[in-house]
Amino acid sequence: MSEEVRMVAWVRGKVQAVGFRWFTRANALRIGGLTGFALNLEDGRVQVVAEGPREACEQLLDWLRTGDTPGRVDGVAEMWDTPRGGYDGFAIR
């Protein structure tokens, strides 16, 4: 059985107004088993919250860091925690 986790990532770079949140949601759905959201922050970063199996969260985090994303990612900081629940699917906020 896989450990369920919560991963919060803050992505900095040219990640707003380039379809970044849409592609993040699409990749979360492709990976499967994830709930959460992608949100534009006022400082220009995108916050990604994903809950689900650790392996799935790690796959999403790897994708965020690969550079195979819309725009330009200059860096990703993440935090791991226990799931809080309450998400219905993976949303764009």
Side-chain angles (χ1 to χ4, degrees):
M1 187 169 133
S2 178
E3 175 189 16
E4 296 286 313
V5 298
R6 173 185 177 91
M7 186 270 302
V8 182
W10 294 271
V11 185
R12 62 182 170 78
K14 175 63 176 153
V15 291
Q16 291 190 10
V18 293
F20 191 88
R21 291 177 300 153
W22 188 92
F23 276 93
T24 299
R25 178 182 183 271
N27 272 282
L29 296 175
R30 178 188 57 78
I31 292 166
L34 294 173
T35 60
F37 62 88
L39 170 73
N40 282 343
L41 300 176
E42 288 183 11
D43 64 6
R45 295 177 300 162
V46 170
Q47 180 183 29
V48 178
V49 175
E51 293 188 357
R54 177 174 287 279
E55 295 80 13
C57 287
E58 288 173 348
Q59 284 181 35
L60 184 60
L61 183 60
D62 288 345
W63 176 79
L64 291 171
R65 288 188 164 139
T66 62
D68 186 25
T69 61
R72 183 192 76 249
V73 173
D74 292 336
V76 180
E78 90 274 1
M79 178 183 74
W80 297 88
D81 202 353
T82 56
R84 296 181 188 171
Y87 302 114
D88 184 25
F90 202 95
I92 297 171
R93 292 187 178 172

